[in-house]
C-alpha cells in the first residue's frame, strides 16, 4: 500500500509516517514528487495496519496497491522517471538516446575504434560485453575485467558513457567500478540474487526482458532492484521466444506503451537481438521510436562480417549514421528529439 501525504505535509509529518511504518516491522520507501510525497509501504501484508497510518497527521489517504510491483508502478509515481547514464546521456526525457557498439569487446583497438565510429555516427553511449553469457561453454566468454578496462579506454577516447553486462552477483562491484550502466541480460533477468546485488550499488541498471517473461514478471524483476534502493532502472524489450523463426526473436513493440501504462520507468528497445538481422534493425528502430520508446540499444561493429559474436545482427557505423538521421525525423513526429 502507499501513504499519500497532503500537499502541505511537513517533513516531520513524513518522517513520523516513516517511523510508524518501521515500527510495524515494514520498510518505508518515500517518493518525493514535484506536487506531493508518497510513502510506499514494503513488506509482509499481514503486518500492515492501515488505520494507524490513515490517522497520522499530514496523511491524505492510504491506498492499497493491487499490483505486486509497488515501487515500479505508476500508481506510486505518476511522473516519468528519467535515468541518467554518465554525464551526457539521459533516458526517459524528451531526448531519445542511442546506445551503440559491438556485441563483445574483442580488444582495445576494436572497442576504441567502434566507440569513435559510433560517436561519429551520432550515438550517445557505447555498449560492449566484457562478460558474455554464451549458450555454448566453448564459445568466447568475454575478456572479463580486462574487457572492462578496454571499455574504460573507449570512454576516455570518446567521452561516451559505457553500458556493459554483468553476469553474476560476485562481479557486480567490479563491473560497477568501470561501467556507467550495468546491463542484466535476458538469460539473467530472473536471477534474483543478481537483481538484488544490482539494487545495492549506485550505477543505473538496464534490465532486459527475459525471453519467456511476461511484462508483469519483468516489472517484478525490476522491483528487486528498486526495493534495494537503486531507483535508476531502465526496462528493455529485446524480443521474446515464439514459434516464429524468420527473426531470431519476436520483438514485442506493444511492450513500450503497455510498460509506460503500468510503470514510470523508462523503456528501451533492442532491435538487434529483437530481430537477429542487421537489415531489419533500422525499420524496427524507427517503429520503436514511433511507439514511444525512450531509447535504443543497437549492435554496431566496424566490420560485422568478422565480428566474434552476433555479426549477423550488427550494423556498420555508416548504416547507424543513416539510421540516426531518419530517427530524428520520426522523433519529431512524436514530440521527441534525437540530438
Ligand atoms: C547482448 O546485449 O549482447 C546480449 C547478450 O543481450 P540479451 O541478453 O538481450 O540476449
Ligand atoms: Mn549480442
Amino acid at each position: 500500500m502507499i501513504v499519500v501525504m497532503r500537499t502541505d505535509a511537513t517533513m516531520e509529518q513524513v518522517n513520523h509516517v516513516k517511523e510508524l511504518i518501521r515500527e510495524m516491522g515494514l520498510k518505508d520507501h518515500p517518493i518525493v514528487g514535484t506536487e506531493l510525497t508518497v510513502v510506499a509501504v514494503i513488506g509482509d501484508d499481514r503486518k500492515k495496519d492501515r488505520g494507524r497510518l490513515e490517522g497520522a497527521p499530514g496523511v491524505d489517504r492510504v491506498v492499497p496497491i493491487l499490483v505486486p510491483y509497488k515501487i515500479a508502478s505508476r500508481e506510486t509515481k505518476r511522473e516519468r522517471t528519467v535515468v541518467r547514464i554518465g554525464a551526457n546521456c539521459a533516458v526517459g526525457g524528451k531526448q531519445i538516446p542511442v546506445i551503440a557498439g559491438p556485441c563483445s569487446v574483442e580488444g582495445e583497438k576494436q572497442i576504441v575504434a567502434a566507440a569513435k565510429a559510433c560517436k561519429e555516427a551520432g550515438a550517445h553511449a557505447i555498449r560492449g560485453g566484457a562478460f558474455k553469457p554464451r549458450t555454448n561453454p566453448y564459445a568466447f566468454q568475454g575478456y572479463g575485467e580486462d574487457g572492462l578496462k578496454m571499455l574504460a579506454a573507449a570512454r576516455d577516447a570518446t567521452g561516451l558513457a559505457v553500458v556493459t553486462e554483468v553476469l553474476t552477483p560476485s562481479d557486480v562491484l567490479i563491473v560497477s567500478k568501470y561501467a556507467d550502466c550495468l546491463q542484466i541480460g535476458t538469460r539473467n533477468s530472473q536471477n534474483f540474487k543478481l537483481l538484488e546485488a544490482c539494487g545495492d550499488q549506485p550505477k543505473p541498471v538496464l534490465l532486459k526482458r527475459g525471453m519467456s517473461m511476461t511484462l508483469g514478471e519483468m516489472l517484478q524483476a525490476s522491483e528487486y532492484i528498486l526495493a534495494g534502493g537503486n531507483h535508476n532502472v531502465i526496462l528493455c524489450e529485446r524480443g521474446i521466444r515464439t514459434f516464429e523463426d524468420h527473426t531470431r526473436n519476436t520483438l514485442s513493440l506493444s511492450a513500450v506503451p503497455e510498460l509506460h501504462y503500468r510503470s514510470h520507468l523508462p523503456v528501451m528497445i533492442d532491435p538487434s537481438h529483437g530481430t537477429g538481422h542487421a537489415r531489419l534493425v533500422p525499420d524496427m528502430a524507427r517503429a520503436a521510436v514511433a511507439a514511444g520508446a525512450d531509447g535504443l540499444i543497437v549492435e554496431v561493429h566496424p566490420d560485422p562480417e568478422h565480428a566474434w559474436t552476433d555479426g549477423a545482427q550488427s550494423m556498420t557505423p555508416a548504416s547507424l549514421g543513416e539510421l540516426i538521421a531518419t530517427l530524428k525525423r520520426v522523433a519529431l513526429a512524436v514530440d521527441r528529439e534525437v540530438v
Side-chain angles (χ1 to χ4, degrees), residues 159-232:
L160 294 180
V162 166
V163 180
T164 194
E165 182 164 356
V166 59
L167 293 183
T168 67
S170 56
D171 288 336
V172 165
L173 281 184
I174 188 81
V175 177
S176 175
K177 179 174 153 199
Y178 290 99
D180 298 292
C181 176
L182 276 56
Q183 176 178 321
I184 297 179
T186 195
R187 295 160 186 82
N188 257 321
S189 51
Q190 283 182 307
N191 178 340
F192 302 116
K193 292 296 163 203
L194 179 62
L195 294 165
E196 278 173 5
C198 288
D200 193 26
Q201 59 77 50
K203 298 286 173 70
V205 179
L206 179 89
L207 173 63
K208 296 247 195 145
R209 179 180 185 176
M211 59 183 92
S212 64
M213 206 184 214
T214 64
L215 296 185
E217 287 166 344
M218 186 185 196
L219 289 164
Q220 288 177 80
S222 77
E223 191 79 9
Y224 273 89
I225 306 166
L226 298 164
N230 185 349
H231 295 189
N232 293 310

Side-chain angles (χ1 to χ4, degrees), residues 103 127 132 273 299 310 313:
C103 181
R127 58 147 291 145
K132 294 303 300 176
H273 293 87
E299 287 190 338
D310 284 352
Q313 67 192 35

Side-chain angles (χ1 to χ4, degrees), residues 14 32 66 74 94 143 166 197 203 208 214 226 230 251 255 275 277 309 312:
V14 175
V32 183
L66 300 176
R74 277 202 90 189
K94 181 154 183 166
Y143 278 125
V166 59
K203 298 286 173 70
K208 296 247 195 145
T214 64
L226 298 164
N230 185 349
L251 185 62
T275 61
H277 301 287
T309 56

